[in-house]
Amino acid sequence: MENFRRIEIHYVGNVQGVGFRFRARNIAQDFDLTGFVRNLDDGRVHLVAEGEKEDLISFLREIDQTMERYVRDKSVVWTKANNQFVTFDIRA
């Protein structure tokens, strides 16, 4: 279970209104991750995901490749997973 991790990411840039949340959800489902993605009032996108470390790394890589033209900056924080999610959802 030591390989089970959590990431929390804030994406900055032109990340709202471009399908970011839907793409992130679809990619997360490909990797069997749980968590959520949502738009923030300040224009950023907030993403939290839990899963196997290798899957999270691959997930991040695919998000970066798919959405690179929209992302100006991001902050990623790795922590221990707490198993609070059942699926990966889009939140309002």
Side-chain angles (χ1 to χ4, degrees):
M1 219 38 158
E2 189 171 308
N3 237 8
F4 200 69
R5 304 292 304 224
R6 176 186 180 117
I7 53 172
E8 184 166 357
I9 310 167
H10 287 92
Y11 289 96
V12 178
N14 184 25
V15 292
Q16 293 189 12
V18 295
F20 193 104
R21 293 173 299 154
F22 298 97
R23 289 184 185 142
R25 182 192 59 199
N26 291 341
I27 293 169
Q29 291 170 345
D30 290 343
F31 291 104
D32 195 31
L33 302 176
T34 62
F36 67 88
V37 60
R38 66 180 173 178
N39 287 340
L40 298 177
D41 291 340
D42 63 6
R44 295 179 299 159
V45 168
H46 179 216
L47 186 149
V48 176
E50 291 187 351
E52 294 293 326
K53 183 177 180 181
E54 295 80 18
D55 287 340
L56 290 167
I57 291 169
S58 297
F59 170 69
L60 285 175
R61 187 177 302 121
E62 190 158 336
I63 292 260
D64 288 347
Q65 291 171 353
T66 304
M67 303 305 292
E68 67 183 338
R69 66 180 164 198
Y70 304 110
V71 177
R72 187 175 69 245
D73 195 17
K74 70 179 179 197
S75 65
V76 181
V77 176
W78 288 84
T79 58
K80 185 177 177 182
N82 59 17
N83 298 309
Q84 76 182 83
F85 309 111
V86 175
T87 61
F88 192 96
D89 299 313
I90 296 173
R91 293 190 179 171

